[in-house]
Amino acid sequence: MNAIELNGVTKQYKEFLLDNVSFSLPRGAILGLVGENGAGKSTTIKLIMNAIRRDGGSIRVLGEDNTAQAFEALKQDIGVVLDEAYFPEVLNAIQVGSVMKHTYHRWDDGLYQRYLKLLDIPLKKAFRDFSRGMKMKFAIAVALSHQPKLLIMDEATSGLDPMVRDEILTLFNDFTRDEEHSILLSSHIVSDLEKVCDYIAFLHKGKLVLCEEKDRLLEEYAIVKTTQTALDQMAADTVVSSKTGPYGTEALVRKALLPRGVQTEFTTLENIILFLAKGGERA
Amino acid sequence: MKGLLLKDYYTLLKQLKLYLVFIVILSLIPEMNLSRIASIYAAMLPITAIAFDERSKWDQLAAMMPYSKRDLVLSKYLIGYVGVVFCCLLSFVIQGVIYLVTKQPVTSEVALTIVITACAALILLAINLPFMFRLGVERGRVVFMVLIAVTVFIGMMSAESAKQVLETSTMTPLMLLVISGLSALVVNIASILISLRIYRNKTV
């Protein structure tokens, strides 16, 4: 069963179109939603949570249509962290805990205190005096303390130092040890997604370029450094995208179609995404 | 709803403490009965709460939480109602204290003024909130100020004829009380319906 299912979801704004987006997040998995700023990641998350109305398509979250009345109650099972949307800045961690206790039925005060301690969050300091990293860690502690089945994180690791990012990614890994738990993690920092995600969905200018298992992407694609002439001689569909610089030509290729003997470079998910984005532009 | 009210209470806690000091100081000014103005100030509390929400983009986060849009709207009205009722009761307590100290009795006129001021505060709140939900605090305040200025201007222009009407009026204090209460009720019901409609169509 899928934790999230999007089918042909469309949202039209004056200057932006989220165009026919379909992907699913299986239960127990982490899906990374990657894309440049303005690609439609936050819009997709708002649509998933039914915070904005979609113009077309369907969305199911934890088995329920998200426009159904029952979805309001289902939000008890979903923890959300948004980029730059927080609790009112004069509140402190103790006060937020009290508010959440009266918001979520399964709010676990003991668990909340443990997360605050683990993440080194001050109890009585007003939220406005938190650093960005602290704000994010705090928001994640809150999102985890009502025992959700699904976590949705919008740019939860952006702007954080590597130590904090690593701490947060470890928390996500711990959370998905329970196979009922799933995470949708949107970010433009591909290296973070590469560390924790099972699936990658790549949004580019409002369109879904791909949604694949991360390992399969790394198995399917590779980077080669060669000449344009050598690329031209390769079979059709081998080269997905290429770029030529002063030191030669680099190309993203499909490993399966690559002629024997051609050596591939060390390929990261970030390389693949960057080349696919270029390919998408060219198409 | 309880969570939302608690959040606003914590948000306004500092303001509320200052506010109480403000009421006490106003009450100490003899013959002025300024503490009644506190009801009007209390009607502005939801606007302060909305301003704090806007600054932290709380609406976006709240839309992801198990709060209904109805609760998000109604909670703001409720803070205003609690504030106005609290001030109304406090005004009576202050009048009682004044009576104990000065032996000056609480006349029905004073009691009527306190209740009518509270009703006026509730009407003010009801006019104010839909603008705040629609335009946000910054632009909403400007529109509200313009509305108030126009109302005061019209009031001043027609003051003489209004005075004549009141002088010749046979309206009893009870009738005045009922009319004020009903006006506040009707305007608030209409305001809540408008605010709900605005909030439901709002893009967070």
Side-chain angles (χ1 to χ4, degrees), chain A:
Chain A
M1 196 186 188
N2 291 323
I4 298 175
E5 275 178 32
L6 274 80
N7 279 307
V9 174
T10 303
K11 177 73 186 173
Q12 173 82 66
Y13 287 111
K14 261 184 191 168
E15 287 171 359
F16 176 76
L17 170 68
L18 189 76
D19 193 9
N20 198 26
V21 171
S22 304
F23 66 82
S24 52
L25 161 63
R27 284 204 185 189
I30 304 180
L31 182 139
L33 187 60
V34 64
E36 73 281 5
N37 291 328
K41 302 185 296 291
S42 297
T43 303
T44 305
I45 285 176
K46 284 178 185 174
L47 286 165
I48 289 170
M49 292 306 290
N50 198 29
I52 49 173
R53 278 185 205 154
R54 58 182 180 254
D55 296 325
S58 68
I59 301 174
R60 295 187 78 82
V61 183
L62 297 174
E64 192 70 57
D65 182 326
N66 76 339
T67 54
Q69 192 66 39
F71 184 66
E72 285 300 319
L74 205 68
K75 283 183 175 176
Q76 293 280 348
D77 292 330
I78 307 169
V80 183
V81 174
L82 297 181
D83 182 30
E84 292 181 350
Y86 308 112
F87 305 96
E89 56 184 17
V90 289
L91 269 64
N92 60 37
I94 296 172
Q95 291 168 335
V96 170
S98 305
V99 173
M100 293 299 116
K101 199 175 180 175
H102 292 98
T103 300
Y104 290 101
H105 304 324
R106 287 197 307 277
W107 179 259
D108 186 336
D109 238 347
L111 187 63
Y112 179 57
Q113 295 300 330
R114 284 200 293 281
Y115 276 126
L116 293 181
K117 203 170 174 187
L118 179 76
L119 297 169
D120 212 13
I121 306 291
L123 294 175
K124 289 182 180 172
K125 195 173 181 177
F127 199 62
R128 65 167 163 242
D129 299 326
F130 281 20
S131 66
R132 181 177 158 78
M134 221 187 266
K135 278 181 183 172
M136 231 10 133
K137 286 199 289 183
F138 177 54
I140 290 167
V142 172
L144 286 168
S145 298
H146 60 90
Q147 301 172 358
K149 290 178 183 159
L150 171 64
L151 273 184
I152 296 181
M153 309 272 156
D154 189 13
E155 301 284 359
T157 56
S158 61
L160 304 181
D161 64 67
M163 300 269 282
V164 177
R165 269 161 52 193
D166 208 53
E167 240 178 305
I168 289 173
L169 295 178
T170 307
L171 274 180
F172 293 165
N173 268 328
D174 289 345
F175 177 76
T176 47
R177 272 189 200 151
D178 184 329
E179 54 191 36
E180 281 293 299
H181 290 175
S182 326
I183 303 180
L184 173 69
L185 183 61
S186 103
S187 181
H188 59 266
I189 306 172
V190 184
S191 56
D192 282 350
L193 301 180
E194 189 164 6
K195 279 183 194 165
V196 292
C197 291
D198 305 301
Y199 294 84
I200 296 291
F202 174 37
L203 270 177
H204 182 57
K205 293 184 176 174
K207 286 187 178 177
L208 188 77
V209 178
L210 65 87
C211 183
E212 280 278 5
E213 261 182 76
K214 179 188 73 185
D215 293 342
R216 216 175 135 192
L217 276 174
L218 292 167
E219 274 168 26
E220 194 179 343
Y221 297 103
I223 301 285
V224 293
K225 277 184 180 169
T226 182
T227 59
Q228 190 58 50
T229 321
L231 288 181
D232 292 341
Q233 286 167 356
M234 287 181 190
D237 293 341
T238 307
V239 180
V240 180
S241 168
S242 66
K243 65 172 180 186
T244 304
Y247 303 108
T249 300
E250 256 190 322
L252 180 75
V253 293
R254 288 192 176 85
K255 275 187 196 171
L257 302 174
L258 201 61
R260 276 191 162 197
V262 178
Q263 209 160 10
T264 59
E265 302 286 317
F266 174 70
T267 309
T268 62
L269 194 61
E270 190 156 355
N271 295 141
I272 296 172
I273 297 290
L274 283 171
F275 273 98
L276 283 174
K278 280 186 65 183
E281 266 171 23
R282 216 167 45 177

